[in-house]
Amino acid sequence: MKDLARFRSDAVARLREAVPGPAIVAASGGIDSTVAALLAQEALGDRAHSLFVDTGLLRAGEVERVEGFFAASHLSYRVLDAEARFLSALDGVTDPEEKRRRIGTAFVRLFEEEATTLHADHLVQGTIAPDWIESGGALRDTIKTHHNVGGLPKDMRLKVVEPLRDLYKDEVRALALYLGVPEHERQPFPGPGLAVRVNGPVTRERVARVRVANRIVEEEVDAAVATGRLPRPWQYFAVLLPVRTVGVTGDNRVYGEAVSVRIVESVDAMTATSMHPPADLLATIAERITRELSGQVTRVLYDLTDKPPATIEWE
Ligand code: XMP
């Protein structure tokens, strides 16, 4: 996409045409939905109601970071605290596709409640091309039902408007830079959040555990990037595995869980290559995770698989 100014004015015109009244804007704090929300705000003014949902499945410090990010992007928004609602929607669910459907439904029901109050008929969201391609929208099998595409309930009342649905990530990043969005190089974070990084059952305790592991991976990789020891990866994160594994702390045998660390390079998430970070970086990550989650996580693994045959996320 060469002409960003043209894309912006066309997108604003299309939004004005598509949305005659108030609209709910699903703003996750990621680049895609922030760009979509800014276009909606430009097109609809105060008829655009950007809502940031705290699902309880976010990374450490995410709510504060997103609030700062929206303020710096000049986006008006509201935060909705919905942790209890999302954890109860996920209670007992282990299948990844079912997790996405439950999360998609929980988002939509929450937005529908808000829409009733605001008299809105439309939902603007930042879906981009790989989301619907991977959800089976084109001539492909479903790889993952992205929660914001195939994960939406069939009976949803709101009409969905997707101003970025033909763009790829590199194009959205260019647009974000053009619109003055800070941090346009930030790593992607899946909409279903830590629920798809807790393999197996999602409980408050397991989410808290993977949140600590993710924070450690982010801190250590960010530090390695800052000192030039590692090129900036596309994504870097931790996954809590549904296996128990024996460890020792002091004189005690501990039956803990295992964490897998994933650090990948990619251009558009359609394919990805597992990176080979310095061994001491991985050792530091493993040491910190097992120490800061002592008695809970007893083993840390590094994922060497490319996409394909794997996907970037484990679920
Ligand atoms: P996979 O795991 O399919 O992921 O290789 C490709 C990219 O998409 C992100 N991802 C998601 N994003 N909702 C999202 O908004 C989802 O359900 C979802 N699943 C994966 C993933 O982090 C990667 O950047």
Side-chain angles (χ1 to χ4, degrees):
M1 187 185 42
K2 292 190 193 67
D3 194 340
L4 295 166
R6 175 77 182 276
F7 180 90
R8 174 193 198 161
S9 59
D10 286 355
V12 165
R14 276 197 302 270
L15 276 160
R16 283 192 187 130
E17 203 179 322
V19 186
I24 301 287
V25 183
S28 71
I31 301 293
D32 308 344
S33 63
T34 304
V35 169
L38 285 172
L39 292 171
Q41 182 170 273
E42 185 174 336
L44 310 176
D46 57 16
R47 285 191 287 125
H49 298 276
S50 290
L51 303 179
F52 171 64
V53 181
D54 180 356
T55 56
L57 303 167
L58 301 172
R59 283 172 291 185
E62 186 75 354
V63 177
E64 299 72 21
R65 190 202 63 77
V66 169
E67 296 209 70
F69 180 58
F70 284 167
S73 303
H74 305 289
L75 182 71
S76 312
Y77 66 94
R78 250 181 330 120
V79 181
L80 305 179
D81 178 359
E83 180 186 35
R85 181 191 285 251
F86 278 81
L87 284 179
S88 109
L90 290 166
D91 190 27
V93 180
T94 52
D95 176 71
E97 287 294 272
E98 184 60 18
K99 283 183 186 175
R100 286 188 167 81
R101 277 191 293 275
R102 299 273 186 120
I103 289 169
T105 301
F107 269 114
V108 168
R109 296 295 172 242
L110 184 58
F111 290 148
E112 283 177 343
E113 287 169 27
E114 292 293 318
T116 304
T117 315
L118 296 165
H119 305 290
D121 289 327
H122 291 80
L123 171 67
V124 178
Q125 55 176 29
T127 315
I128 65 171
D131 301 345
W132 59 263
I133 292 171
E134 297 212 332
S135 293
L139 299 172
R140 294 180 55 158
D141 291 338
T142 301
I143 298 173
K144 285 177 194 183
T145 305
H146 281 227
H147 76 289
N148 53 343
V149 189
L152 299 179
K154 299 277 173 291
D155 63 345
M156 78 180 270
R157 192 174 62 67
L158 292 164
K159 295 186 198 71
V160 175
V161 182
E162 296 171 327
L164 310 179
R165 67 174 280 120
D166 294 325
L167 302 191
Y168 285 82
K169 198 77 175 190
D170 51 334
E171 296 174 312
V172 179
R173 284 184 167 161
L175 193 57
L177 181 64
Y178 175 73
L179 294 175
V181 175
E183 287 190 61
H184 51 274
E185 289 293 347
R186 197 156 186 269
Q187 68 160 325
F189 182 65
L194 297 175
V196 290
R197 295 193 179 161
V198 169
N199 280 34
V202 182
T203 61
R204 187 175 270 113
E205 295 68 33
R206 296 191 81 222
V207 172
R209 214 164 282 161
V210 85
R211 184 178 285 125
V212 171
N214 256 277
R215 173 176 54 71
I216 293 169
V217 174
E218 292 195 359
E219 285 173 0
E220 292 301 328
V221 170
D222 285 340
V225 169
T227 53
R229 286 161 65 222
L230 190 72
R232 176 161 287 288
W234 168 268
Q235 267 175 288
Y236 42 109
F237 56 88
V239 178
L240 190 67
L241 303 182
V243 292
R244 304 295 298 278
T245 167
V246 176
V248 280
T249 51
D251 291 335
N252 298 322
R253 176 187 182 281
V254 186
Y255 198 35
E257 291 190 285
V259 159
S260 172
V261 174
R262 185 116 169 96
I263 306 179
V264 297
E265 284 180 312
S266 179
V267 175
D268 56 10
M270 300 296 285
T271 60
T273 312
S274 172
M275 291 178 77
H276 298 256
D280 62 332
L281 171 64
L282 293 178
T284 305
I285 289 173
E287 187 279 322
R288 278 193 63 192
I289 290 176
T290 46
R291 180 164 43 82
E292 294 181 37
L293 290 167
S294 174
Q296 301 177 57
V297 172
T298 38
R299 208 167 293 260
V300 177
L301 313 169
Y302 186 68
D303 182 351
L304 291 164
T305 332
D306 295 340
K307 172 184 180 177
T311 53
I312 294 177
E313 306 289 344
W314 273 56
E315 291 200 328

